[in-house]
Amino acid sequence: MREIFTFDAVDSTNAVAKRMALSGAGERAVMAAEQTAGRGRLARRWASARGEGLWVSLLLRPQAIPAAQAGGAVFVSALAMAEALCRYGPAKIKWPNDLVMGGKKLCGMLAEAGFRGGMCDWIVLGVGVNLLQTAFAADLPHATSLFLQTGARLTPGELLPPFLERFEAWYARWQGEGLAPILEGIRPLSATLGRRIQIEGREGVALDFREDGALIWQTGGKTEAVLAGDVSVRGLYGYV
């Protein structure tokens, strides 16, 4: 990442990065100590207390990525973060955009994009990692932090460099080789594959990923593929 912009408090790092993208800015990372309006998928709020987690968004200008493949950035980020955290504990990737530890949500990701001529003009990829929280509100029963899971007191500034290092490597491969090598890296770290899951009230078993990142699952005696933006996947026994 060419530049890192740091802020004390922002509404959300995604919002800041998106404003930068629309003004023509190049690739960069936007990091804040606190988000006052952090959000996740489906407009859910993301608790982003000061200094308790890594709140960062990446502004990307990918080369030759069709609009339909923009969602691949989330898989790149998930794999990079899982690798950055592996020295502290077994972070697993819950399809499509969460990292879990101990069966609870440790990290979430949110991608937004702008297109031109059917290609990606920019992608803003938000990443939130709970690091130092010692407790969560009652309405967040599935949330956890790295400290609660491992006892590690890892600061946001300590996690950002290894994450960016791993991200840049996988980001380059995604642009050059497509999603296949990223999915190959995710499979052994998946918290979803091989498990019984529930999608929109139907139960089944997660089998594999399609080449575009869709989840292949078996339900009611049939094999189907679902796209990341279509459904929320929940395990039958808790969050995973």
Side-chain angles (χ1 to χ4, degrees), residues 111-216:
E112 302 176 75
F115 311 110
R116 180 177 299 173
M119 306 296 286
C120 289
D121 182 28
W122 55 265
I123 298 173
V124 168
L125 180 61
V127 181
V129 190
N130 297 326
L131 294 177
L132 296 170
Q133 293 92 333
T134 58
F136 288 88
D139 64 343
L140 297 173
H142 300 300
T144 193
S145 70
L146 187 67
F147 173 74
L148 287 173
Q149 291 295 318
T150 69
R153 293 188 176 275
L154 184 67
T155 68
E158 291 171 328
L159 178 58
L160 184 61
F163 166 62
L164 291 179
E165 179 183 1
R166 297 309 306 145
F167 182 86
E168 293 292 355
W170 288 116
Y171 179 49
R173 292 198 66 181
W174 177 49
Q175 293 182 91
E177 304 174 48
L179 200 55
I182 286 70
L183 295 177
E184 191 64 25
I186 287 175
R187 285 185 177 96
L189 299 175
S190 176
T192 305
L193 297 184
R195 300 181 69 95
R196 293 196 61 80
I197 59 173
Q198 183 173 353
I199 300 176
E200 295 183 336
R202 296 190 297 158
E203 297 181 7
V205 177
L207 300 177
D208 200 359
F209 304 121
R210 200 169 63 184
E211 65 273 9
D212 61 353
L215 180 66
I216 300 172

Side-chain angles (χ1 to χ4, degrees), residues 9-31:
V10 298
D11 49 356
S12 81
T13 56
N14 256 36
V16 173
K18 185 175 179 179
R19 291 193 287 267
M20 291 177 171
L22 295 175
S23 71
E27 293 195 329
R28 60 192 59 195
V30 176
M31 178 180 174

